[in-house]
Amino acid sequence: MKVLKILGYGGSFRELKQMRHFLGKLKCLETVKVGVKEGSKKSNYLVANVMALPRVSSKCKIQFI
C-alpha cells in the first residue's frame, strides 16, 4: 500500500492508536491523506499529534485535506 486516505479524523485516542499502527507497520507507505472531521476545533492539536508519530517508512509524507 502506497497511499492511505483517512476521512473524518477526529483525533480520539482510538483513532490516534490506529494511526500509530499504520505509520509504524506499513513499510511501503508513501502518502497518508488525512481529512479532519468537520467542525473540529482542535485541528492544530490534531495535526501536531499526527505529525509527531514515528514512521517506519522514510518516504512517508502526511497531508491534511
Side-chain angles (χ1 to χ4, degrees):
M1 178 185 303
K2 291 186 177 189
V3 178
L4 175 65
K5 189 172 185 179
I6 299 172
L7 301 175
Y9 185 77
S12 70
F13 178 76
R14 186 178 214 172
E15 289 171 319
L16 192 60
K17 186 176 176 181
Q18 265 188 325
M19 187 70 77
R20 179 178 286 117
H21 176 79
F22 293 142
L23 294 175
K25 300 290 183 187
L26 299 175
K27 295 178 183 178
C28 296
L29 197 58
E30 293 180 9
T31 305
V32 178
K33 296 181 180 184
V34 182
V36 177
K37 187 185 290 186
E38 271 189 51
S40 179
K41 296 177 184 176
K42 303 183 266 182
S43 62
N44 289 337
Y45 178 73
L46 298 179
V47 170
N49 278 343
V50 172
M51 296 303 287
L53 294 173
R55 301 170 215 170
V56 72
S57 171
S58 60
K59 296 179 182 179
C60 184
K61 305 291 183 217
I62 299 174
Q63 301 172 354
F64 290 87
I65 53 175

